[in-house]
Amino acid sequence: MAELPEEFNCTITNWEYIYGLCRDVADEVRRDEFEPEVVVALARGGWFAGRCLCDFLGLDDLTSLKMEHYVGTAQKTGEPTVRYPMPEGSVEGKDVLVIDDIADTGGSISRAEAYVEQRDAGEVRTATLQLLDTSEFEPDYVGERLAEWAWVVYPWNFIEDMVDLLSGVMEKADQESYTADELRHYLAEYHDVKRIEMEIAQPNRLPEVLAEMERRGVIEGAGPGEYRLAE
C-alpha cells in the first residue's frame, strides 16, 4: 500500500467553483452533441457532479458505481476494483456518461468505463471535473486540467480531509500541544494551505473541524485553546 509523502501541496475548493466546473463539463458534452441517456456517478466523489450534470443536460436517469481505490488523504491502494456494482440492467442499451471528480492516475475512471461497457451499454463516454497531468487516462470531457500535482480538498469531504491533514501535521511537528494558529502555520508549511486561501474557500471552519476531531476522539483538549493528539 503506497503512501503519500509527508509534505505535499493541497488546494481547497468551494461549492461555487466546483459547480462552475460541472457547468463546463456539461457545455463540452453539448458542444460535442453527445446525448447520454444515463449518468453513472462514481462514488463518492462523482455524486455532486453527476446530479449537476443531470440538471444541466435534462436527464433524470442517474446511477452510482463504487470503486475501491483511495483511503483518505494518507494512503491509496493499488488497482481500483468495483466494491458496489450498479443495479442489474441500469445501463443496458443506453448511451452513458461516466463522471468522477478527479483523475489522478486515471485508474478508477478507466476501470469504470470498462465495467460499464461490459454491462451491454450503448456508447460510453467519460468525464472528470479535474484532470491531473499524472493521469494515464484521458477522459472525453474535462472541466479543468491541473499541471501540478496537488491533493484537492472538495467541499463534500472538507472535514474528512482536514481531520487527516491536521492529524498528520500534529504527528510530524511532534509538539506536546497546538493552538489553532500553530495548526494553521503547519498546514501552510507542510501542505501550502495558506490561511487566506482556506478562509476564502471554507470560511471560519477550522473551529468546526477541531470540535469534530475532539468529538471523534482524534484530539483532546490540552489547556485553554490548545489541543493534542488523543492517546
Side-chain angles (χ1 to χ4, degrees):
M1 183 176 294
E3 293 188 1
L4 293 174
E6 289 185 341
E7 298 183 24
F8 54 90
N9 289 348
C10 293
T11 298
I12 298 178
T13 60
N14 60 24
W15 291 108
E16 183 178 3
Y17 186 77
I18 296 302
Y19 188 72
L21 293 181
C22 293
R23 188 191 302 276
D24 292 342
V25 169
D27 288 344
E28 280 198 22
V29 173
R30 283 192 290 261
R31 281 195 298 269
D32 206 25
E33 299 184 352
F34 178 55
E35 297 185 4
E37 297 164 88
V38 58
V39 172
V40 174
L42 297 196
R44 295 172 296 166
W47 283 344
F48 177 77
R51 182 61 185 90
C52 289
L53 285 173
C54 283
D55 188 36
F56 286 133
L57 299 175
L59 302 174
D60 59 10
D61 201 348
L62 171 65
T63 190
S64 178
L65 175 62
K66 170 69 172 174
M67 308 296 295
E68 187 91 310
H69 193 79
Y70 282 104
V71 185
T73 59
Q75 303 171 343
K76 72 175 184 178
T77 63
E79 289 298 314
T81 57
V82 176
R83 183 176 181 185
Y84 299 128
M86 298 181 304
E88 191 69 27
S90 57
V91 297
E92 186 174 350
K94 299 176 182 178
D95 292 341
V96 179
L97 180 63
V98 181
I99 179 71
D100 202 3
D101 52 1
I102 192 167
D104 180 350
T105 65
S108 290
I109 195 160
S110 175
R111 176 72 182 89
E113 179 188 44
Y115 176 87
V116 172
E117 288 174 341
Q118 292 163 6
R119 266 63 195 168
D120 298 320
E123 185 173 2
V124 180
R125 297 190 187 181
T126 57
T128 58
L129 299 182
Q130 294 178 307
L131 179 68
L132 287 162
D133 65 0
T134 53
S135 177
E136 298 178 2
F137 180 82
E138 177 75 18
D140 296 291
Y141 309 107
V142 176
E144 178 182 42
R145 296 174 184 272
L146 303 177
E148 295 184 6
W149 192 94
W151 184 272
V152 181
V153 179
Y154 293 105
W156 51 81
N157 59 283
F158 176 79
I159 291 178
E160 177 181 306
D161 279 0
M162 291 305 297
V163 168
D164 285 349
L165 291 168
L166 287 169
S167 301
V169 300
M170 291 171 84
E171 289 178 358
K172 180 173 174 57
D174 198 27
Q175 294 182 188
E176 288 197 10
S177 64
Y178 302 85
T179 65
D181 282 343
E182 286 174 326
L183 290 172
R184 289 184 186 277
H185 165 77
Y186 288 121
L187 282 174
E189 181 176 343
Y190 299 149
H191 302 305
D192 199 32
V193 177
K194 305 293 193 301
R195 178 171 187 150
I196 189 169
E197 174 193 355
M198 184 168 166
E199 290 304 315
I200 289 173
Q202 298 289 335
N204 304 316
R205 296 200 65 188
L206 183 58
E208 175 190 359
V209 174
L210 292 172
E212 180 60 17
M213 291 176 73
E214 195 166 10
R215 187 190 72 82
R216 296 182 189 183
V218 178
I219 61 174
E220 59 188 14
E226 296 192 355
Y227 306 88
R228 61 179 171 231
L229 287 171
E231 297 181 0

